Amino acid sequence: MRKFILLALGCADAYNNGVARKPPLGWQTWCSAGPCGTDHCFDYQIKDTAKAMVDNGMKAAGYEWIILDDCWHPRRDSNGTLVPHAAFFPDGMMPVIDYVHSLGLKFGLYTSVGTTTCHGGWSPGSLGHFEEDANLFAGWGVDYVKIDYCGKDDSPEGHKNFSRALNATGRPIVLELCRGPYQEQADWGYAPSIAQVWRATGDHHDKFSSTLEQVEAMSRPSIYIPGEGGSGPYGWAYGDMMMTGGEGCFPYDPKVPQHCPKQTDAEYRTEVSLYAVLGSPMMVGTDIRNMTAIMTQLLLDPTMLRINQDEEAKIGEKISTCGGTDAWVRHLTGGDVAIALPNLGDDAATLKVCATDVGVSATEFTAMEVWTRKSLTPSAAGDYSIAVASHDTALLYLSPRNDAAA
Ligand code: GLA
């Protein structure tokens, strides 16, 4: 049986079993059908969603994950084996997993480190069954496991033991540890050495205050250190699923994809811009069977994705520029720079970023705003000014003048 090793990456140690070199991009079930707890979890919904990911251009843009959250497994059988929900998966899990794989996509499942899962404890957790569950998942061809932190006897030791059990299966599986916000948990420094994704935030919801909480949690200096919680190749601080385009409607028809957005288009632009610059995994938590105009604009934008999926994956960080504006800045491979300038105020504002604060000489760079594709001309002093609507975000992309990319 193959054992994986921890590979040193620069000065940071990330758990490298060959998967999740870049932040995972995909879709997940939790909250996807409406208020959290009303998930898409029928086999036909999962298949339709996977098909939609191919047909709507997401797969071609780089999205590849279909992840089932806390919805799929109500019990164990008399042998202790997890059993998929009979009404949701009348033919078991394999036809769904095989279908997802046949489309060239990858498949993930959810469990918990304690005795039960998190949604009212309706489902068995993996405690006492780590090896058994890891082997079941690997045997089914699962590519990603999210392990939550609920039920009795949840513990960091459990996370570590579950990681060992997954590792021992010999199948390269992405492990997501869900126990956020990262910085507030005792003994949480172990995440990058045993998993590829860890929750840097509490649960996200479809409201702007929640988007701001995610960004704030992802912007704390303590998660900027690769190896200790900061993102880098094979290890990603995660802002939870994205609610871009709006949660589902309630009550809902499982066959009719609908959105009942609780944020404005501008607010979704802020969500996506910040997730891109901070290099967070992007798991869409809304119904991609119905791509609204704002979902298409934001989720498929090639420059936004290039920022999020940057090759070298240096961490983006929050800085203060021009004596007061908060800017989220990411230095990209080849010398390009991405800058998110959110306007969190209730009125439109002109925001300013000073080139020297982001380490560039304005005369040597071209600049454009990603969402409008408009180029920006710096002032003689080397600052860029841009009008930004309330709760919207300007996403600037700077390239060295001799760089034809972007
Ligand atoms: C917790 C997690 C969520 C989701 C639910 C499922 O709240 O943080 O992401 O997995 O459990 O019950």
Side-chain angles (χ1 to χ4, degrees):
M1 193 153 295
R2 199 160 122 230
K3 302 271 177 188
F4 299 113
I5 51 168
L6 304 182
L7 297 181
L9 290 166
C11 57
D13 286 326
Y15 175 57
N16 173 6
N17 63 358
V19 286
R21 162 85 176 68
K22 296 183 176 183
L25 303 176
W27 175 87
Q28 60 84 64
T29 55
W30 183 243
C31 307
S32 60
C36 298
T38 45
D39 311 316
H40 287 122
C41 209
F42 286 103
D43 54 359
Y44 65 85
Q45 290 174 320
I46 307 302
K47 287 178 172 175
D48 288 353
T49 301
K51 178 80 167 42
M53 188 176 277
V54 176
D55 293 345
N56 67 20
M58 288 178 76
K59 182 186 176 214
Y63 295 83
E64 62 176 353
W65 291 100
I66 298 287
I67 314 278
L68 269 54
D69 206 275
D70 195 358
C71 66
W72 69 272
H73 62 313
R75 64 184 186 88
R76 292 181 186 277
D77 67 15
S78 53
N79 298 322
T81 306
L82 291 172
V83 181
H85 197 296
F88 296 160
F89 302 96
D91 303 315
M93 199 53 82
M94 280 320 300
V96 178
I97 299 178
D98 286 346
Y99 181 74
V100 169
H101 285 158
S102 76
L103 296 175
L105 301 172
K106 296 181 181 163
F107 187 82
L109 283 177
Y110 166 101
T111 185
S112 172
V113 76
T115 48
T116 56
T117 61
C118 291
H119 189 215
W122 83 291
S123 196
S126 285
L127 190 79
H129 298 268
F130 291 156
E131 282 76 22
E132 218 171 323
D133 292 354
N135 288 334
L136 179 73
F137 298 154
W140 279 350
V142 166
D143 309 292
Y144 185 117
V145 176
K146 168 176 174 177
I147 186 154
D148 215 331
Y149 205 79
C150 281
K152 290 200 192 99
D153 298 327
D154 46 8
S155 69
E157 215 38 54
H159 271 166
K160 293 175 198 168
N161 288 334
F162 186 78
S163 172
R164 277 187 208 110
L166 268 192
N167 191 354
T169 68
R171 183 174 174 82
I173 294 176
V174 177
L175 179 60
E176 175 192 333
L177 304 182
C178 183
R179 190 184 163 220
Y182 173 88
Q183 311 83 344
E184 291 168 16
Q185 311 299 329
D187 308 322
W188 190 220
Y190 59 87
S193 61
I194 65 161
Q196 289 79 18
V197 177
W198 52 89
R199 272 278 289 279
T201 66
D203 286 11
H204 188 23
H205 296 283
D206 190 13
K207 52 182 183 181
F208 191 55
S209 58
S210 171
T211 297
L212 295 183
E213 279 168 24
Q214 306 312 93
V215 170
E216 228 19 75
M218 294 277 292
S219 305
R220 294 182 203 164
S222 54
I223 69 161
Y224 288 154
I225 308 166
E228 290 183 20
S231 295
Y234 304 103
W236 306 102
Y238 178 32
D240 200 10
M241 80 269 176
M242 301 199 307
M243 297 311 298
T244 316
E247 65 181 26
C249 306
F250 194 79
Y252 82 109
D253 177 340
K255 294 196 173 158
V256 182
Q258 283 184 314
H259 298 276
C260 285
K262 303 290 185 296
Q263 299 182 73
T264 63
D265 287 358
E267 291 167 346
Y268 293 126
R269 212 160 13 249
T270 292
E271 178 186 75
V272 173
S273 301
L274 272 299
Y275 274 55
V277 170
L278 290 166
S280 171
M282 291 185 166
M283 296 296 181
V284 181
T286 57
D287 198 335
I288 61 169
R289 295 176 299 170
N290 173 5
M291 291 287 273
T292 60
I294 192 65
M295 292 169 80
T296 302
Q297 185 212 2
L298 299 179
L299 297 174
L300 298 184
D301 187 276
T303 312
M304 180 286 286
L305 289 166
R306 179 211 164 330
I307 296 167
N308 178 267
Q309 297 284 294
D310 186 62
E311 201 55 38
E312 288 173 9
K314 287 184 199 142
I315 294 172
E317 61 181 317
K318 181 180 175 182
I319 65 158
S320 179
T321 179
C322 302
T325 309
D326 283 340
W328 278 257
V329 178
R330 188 169 198 198
H331 288 270
L332 305 169
T333 309
D336 296 353
V337 185
I339 306 167
L341 287 174
N343 173 8
L344 306 183
D346 290 334
D347 299 309
T350 296
L351 301 180
K352 199 161 86 166
V353 58
C354 294
T356 48
D357 290 340
V358 296
V360 307
S361 158
T363 52
E364 291 165 17
F365 280 73
T366 60
M368 72 149 181
E369 201 284 318
V370 170
W371 304 120
T372 56
R373 313 309 286 186
K374 285 195 180 140
S375 50
L376 292 173
T377 310
S379 72
D383 53 64
Y384 301 95
S385 292
I386 186 158
V388 188
S390 167
H391 293 187
D392 210 336
T393 290
L395 183 58
L396 275 44
Y397 196 98
L398 276 50
S399 305
R401 280 200 173 275
N402 59 1
D403 181 353

